[in-house]
Amino acid sequence: MVGTTHHGGTPHKSLHPRGFICGLLGLLLAGPAPLGGQQGTITYTHSVNLDVELPPELAMMGLDIPPAVSQDMLLHFEPSASLLVPAPKKKARTREGMFEMRMVAEMSMFLSMRGMGKKASVSRSPAAESYVDLGEGRMVETHQFMGRTFRVVHQRPEYQWRLTGEQAEHLGYMVIKATAEHDSTAIEAWFTPQIPVAGGPGRYGGLPGMILVVSVDHGHTKYFATEIALGDVEEGLIRRPEKGDEMSQEEYDDMVEEKTEEMRKRFGARRRGNGGGR
């Protein structure tokens, strides 16, 4: 079999549930993998769906919000820790392009906050960097919000994963489907026991193998591995982010909610001032 995928961004299903039991047991009982199989770098395409109806206070601004945004991310990992960072850009961005990306990120946060709990909104807001202590489950994420950098320290969510019995192949690795629900959000992940590290992109992990594909909220957010390079990771590359104002997750959630409400009121007042209200 070759590592093919459907156009919808899910691994190509190629095995049956009976084979799943035998395959998983065989991999888990085969003994510890060589150290080279427990560290390396995985490239993911991270996409966020923004194809939603704008509220009136934003629609009046005539913003050209794209239906989706995506970027490549690099997950550097070893048995004890991982670090997810943006992949280097081949071409330097213009100042206008950088401003547009910041606006899209902040509009995404604004839209996520509408009608949702705070925890759910932050989980849908992509972090610029994510460091995970895989042993203790401690996370440090950096977020760009309203022109500032914030360093959010918290525990990685403990997902109640359910193995479905579905197998597939992705990039030459056998992957197994698992599902979970967290903060009323549906999560679908495909992980491989052939990389025996309980990690994945960003907040997602806790399975008996590396997550290569994850879809959140029925495709609102996706991580899709496009390249796997196993081997030694440069010493000192995987480290806790140090830039930005440190906050707990609760403090960051409260700050985002407050600033987003200020933004909503400001846009609403501008709309009424232009004759858009009664």
Side-chain angles (χ1 to χ4, degrees):
M1 294 179 290
V2 295
T4 58
T5 61
H6 293 304
H7 294 297
T10 57
H12 174 65
K13 299 177 182 178
S14 54
L15 301 178
H16 298 290
R18 180 176 295 179
F20 157 78
I21 300 297
C22 296
L24 178 58
L25 287 176
L27 286 169
L28 295 179
L29 296 175
L35 185 60
Q38 300 180 52
Q39 54 186 310
T41 298
I42 300 176
T43 303
Y44 295 88
T45 295
H46 176 215
S47 61
V48 179
N49 178 21
L50 301 178
D51 190 12
V52 295
E53 182 179 354
L54 287 175
E57 57 264 37
L58 294 185
M60 63 160 292
M61 298 177 63
L63 296 172
D64 185 17
I65 303 293
V69 292
S70 66
Q71 73 175 129
D72 290 337
M73 305 290 291
L74 301 180
L75 180 69
H76 307 298
F77 68 93
E78 55 190 11
S80 61
S82 68
L83 178 66
L84 184 72
V85 297
K89 298 296 181 182
K90 294 181 180 179
K91 294 182 180 180
R93 279 207 181 106
T94 63
R95 291 181 61 184
E96 291 78 8
M98 293 294 288
F99 175 77
E100 180 182 352
M101 288 301 294
R102 287 197 299 270
M103 284 294 293
V104 166
E106 293 184 12
M107 288 303 125
S108 175
M109 173 70 78
F110 181 91
L111 295 172
S112 295
M113 291 296 299
R114 292 176 60 86
M116 299 176 58
K118 291 187 292 183
K119 289 184 179 179
S121 71
V122 172
S123 70
R124 294 174 69 161
S125 172
E129 294 185 354
S130 297
Y131 170 89
V132 184
D133 182 322
L134 295 173
E136 299 181 356
R138 198 70 170 164
M139 288 194 68
V140 181
E141 294 182 309
T142 61
H143 289 270
Q144 307 290 335
F145 184 62
M146 301 192 75
R148 295 176 60 189
T149 300
F150 298 93
R151 192 168 72 252
V152 182
V153 181
H154 60 96
Q155 287 293 123
R156 186 175 70 180
E158 294 185 5
Y159 301 106
Q160 301 300 312
W161 293 110
R162 182 179 67 88
L163 302 184
T164 66
E166 294 183 60
Q167 280 188 358
E169 187 177 85
H170 186 65
L171 298 178
Y173 290 82
M174 185 193 77
V175 289
I176 300 166
K177 182 180 176 180
T179 61
E181 185 172 306
H182 186 73
D183 288 335
S184 301
T185 299
I187 305 170
E188 176 185 299
W190 294 83
F191 71 98
T192 176
Q194 292 174 275
I195 304 178
V197 177
R203 300 175 165 227
Y204 305 103
L207 284 162
M210 182 63 70
I211 295 175
L212 300 185
V213 178
V214 63
S215 175
V216 183
D217 198 12
H218 307 289
H220 176 276
T221 299
K222 293 180 181 178
Y223 287 93
F224 188 82
T226 58
E227 184 178 350
I228 300 173
L230 299 181
D232 294 343
V233 176
E234 179 183 342
E235 186 175 354
L237 180 62
I238 301 175
R239 63 187 186 280
R240 292 169 56 101
E242 298 178 352
K243 295 182 179 180
D245 299 327
E246 182 170 319
M247 289 185 168
S248 68
Q249 182 164 322
E250 183 178 2
E251 290 170 335
Y252 181 71
D253 292 351
D254 290 341
M255 185 271 297
V256 168
E257 183 180 39
E258 178 183 349
K259 296 299 182 183
T260 302
E261 181 63 16
E262 290 177 2
M263 188 187 305
R264 187 190 66 80
K265 290 180 178 178
R266 185 167 63 250
F267 289 151
R270 185 182 303 174
R271 180 168 178 260
R272 290 190 296 271
N274 290 336
R278 294 183 179 180

